[in-house]
Amino acid sequence: MNRVALVFLLFTVFNVSAFSQTDYSIPEEAQRIVFLGNSITYAGQYISYVETYHRLMHPDRDLEWINVGLPSETVSGLSEDNHAGGAFPRPDLHERLDRVFELLQPDVVFVNYGMNDGIYLPLDEERFQKYKDGINWLAGKITKIGANAIFVTPPIFDPLKGAAYANVLDNYSDWLLSRRYPDEWKVLDIHWPMRKYLEDQRGLDSAFYLAKDGVHPGEIGHWLMAKEILLGIGESEVMEFADIHEAIASFANGEEVLMLVSKRQAILRDAWLRSTGHLRPGLSEGMPMLEAEEIAMEIEEQIKVLLKSN
């Protein structure tokens, strides 16, 4: 496909996504929101952005936002033969999900898989089917516990780092989006808006990137992810904001709330990963749950004071 045609396609897809992003109101009775995913979710910036903005806009809502993303993880159960230089296979969500749900008992589950599930190889129907099977299995698990599932398309893989794998994630994203209507799944699209943004910026500066390594986005990429999620849950005004700092600039204590939310999320993320257990080596060990919750409660009190004074 030539560049003009690609840009036209991205423009079309982005506009369909941006203006038809399915609104999903978090139920009034919901108390605990859990994010599942791989290293991009584990990094957590986009989740901190979503929580911070939502809490600033709705200071009276009492929601708990929990990140249990795990680096290297797949929902497909696949792993390269020599992953991490042979040090360990990719962790598989199947191994830990029951423990996560038993201990966390979420009301809403955000799901963000796909980046690792094609194993960084060209599109292959067998690998693609493993991804589909994993997502379908996860959808069933979420339904079984009575929670609401919100699926998020995978972030982009930079085409300059490998056009073939960028195409894999295009296909995975399109398949996930195709589940919106026949299956009535709640699916939010971050993939195509990120792709459109990258193409636009590359048109101005050929050296521009969202992720240095092609995979892990920086602050702008995490904002693009958060922005589409916020749009999807009804925060339509974020369409106009270029980054999280602009989005929270009108709130007197916005930056302080963001800092505290990020700190609290990281402490609880590590503690929940320790408590629920996983097979991924090399992560910093979290605090025991009770200790983490005590610190988190102190931070939460500071957040609530700031929210009241906005």
Side-chain angles (χ1 to χ4, degrees), residues 166-185:
N167 177 63
V168 168
L169 295 188
D170 291 348
N171 279 272
Y172 286 18
S173 297
D174 285 346
W175 174 78
L176 198 52
L177 288 166
S178 76
R179 306 300 297 273
R180 273 180 175 170
Y181 300 109
D183 302 297
E184 298 184 342
W185 282 14

Side-chain angles (χ1 to χ4, degrees), residues 79-308:
S79 183
E80 305 92 321
D81 291 337
N82 196 40
H83 176 254
F88 60 92
R90 289 187 179 277
D92 177 357
L93 179 64
H94 292 73
E95 187 277 327
R96 70 182 179 113
L97 184 68
D98 287 343
R99 298 191 302 274
V100 169
F101 282 174
E102 181 180 356
L103 290 177
L104 283 167
Q105 299 183 10
D107 301 301
V108 179
V109 181
F110 280 87
V111 174
N112 188 2
Y113 287 98
M115 179 62 79
N116 297 332
D117 289 279
I119 314 299
Y120 300 92
L121 295 170
L123 188 64
D124 171 86
E125 283 305 317
E126 186 175 344
R127 286 190 291 271
F128 196 179
Q129 189 60 50
K130 287 285 189 180
Y131 171 69
K132 295 174 184 178
D133 291 345
I135 291 292
N136 287 326
W137 163 80
L138 180 52
K141 285 285 193 177
I142 295 171
T143 298
K144 188 173 181 179
I145 64 169
N148 294 276
I150 304 180
F151 294 93
V152 180
T153 57
I156 60 168
F157 182 81
D158 194 323
L160 292 184
K161 297 289 186 178
Y165 201 66
N167 177 63
V168 168
L169 295 188
D170 291 348
N171 279 272
Y172 286 18
S173 297
D174 285 346
W175 174 78
L176 198 52
L177 288 166
S178 76
R179 306 300 297 273
R180 273 180 175 170
Y181 300 109
D183 302 297
E184 298 184 342
W185 282 14
K186 298 177 179 71
V187 183
L188 302 181
D189 184 24
I190 65 171
H191 180 88
W192 289 108
M194 290 181 78
R195 187 79 182 266
K196 170 66 166 55
Y197 186 92
L198 179 62
E199 286 291 320
D200 284 349
Q201 297 305 312
R202 286 253 164 92
L204 301 172
D205 176 6
S206 62
F208 179 85
Y209 58 82
L210 285 173
K212 285 184 179 181
D213 63 357
V215 175
H216 302 93
E219 182 174 312
I220 295 174
H222 275 272
W223 168 245
L224 294 174
M225 295 172 67
K227 185 177 184 177
E228 294 302 323
I229 292 171
L230 286 165
L231 286 169
I233 60 175
E235 305 296 337
S236 58
E237 63 288 334
V238 300
M239 178 64 73
E240 306 303 321
F241 300 131
D243 57 38
I244 183 60
H245 307 291
E246 185 177 313
I248 63 178
S250 63
F251 298 94
N253 301 306
E255 292 290 344
E256 292 174 86
V257 172
L258 174 59
M259 179 189 68
L260 290 170
V261 163
S262 300
K263 182 178 179 180
R264 179 180 178 276
Q265 276 195 15
I267 291 170
L268 287 175
R269 175 201 64 199
D270 292 349
W272 279 117
L273 286 175
R274 170 178 173 157
S275 181
T276 56
H278 60 84
L279 300 179
R280 204 313 186 162
L283 300 185
S284 58
E285 186 175 2
M287 301 176 191
M289 201 68 233
L290 288 177
E291 182 181 345
E293 285 181 333
E294 286 182 10
I295 296 172
M297 286 178 62
E298 293 174 3
I299 296 172
E300 180 63 20
E301 290 304 312
Q302 297 176 55
I303 293 172
K304 288 179 176 178
V305 168
L306 292 172
L307 291 175
K308 286 179 181 178

Side-chain angles (χ1 to χ4, degrees), residues 21-52:
Q21 191 77 283
T22 305
D23 278 355
Y24 170 63
S25 298
I26 296 172
E28 286 297 323
E29 67 274 13
Q31 295 181 327
R32 179 167 281 178
I33 300 173
V34 168
F35 287 77
L36 290 170
N38 47 47
S39 58
I40 297 172
T41 294
Y42 175 86
Q45 292 100 315
Y46 79 89
I47 306 173
S48 295
Y49 297 166
V50 170
E51 178 182 351
T52 297

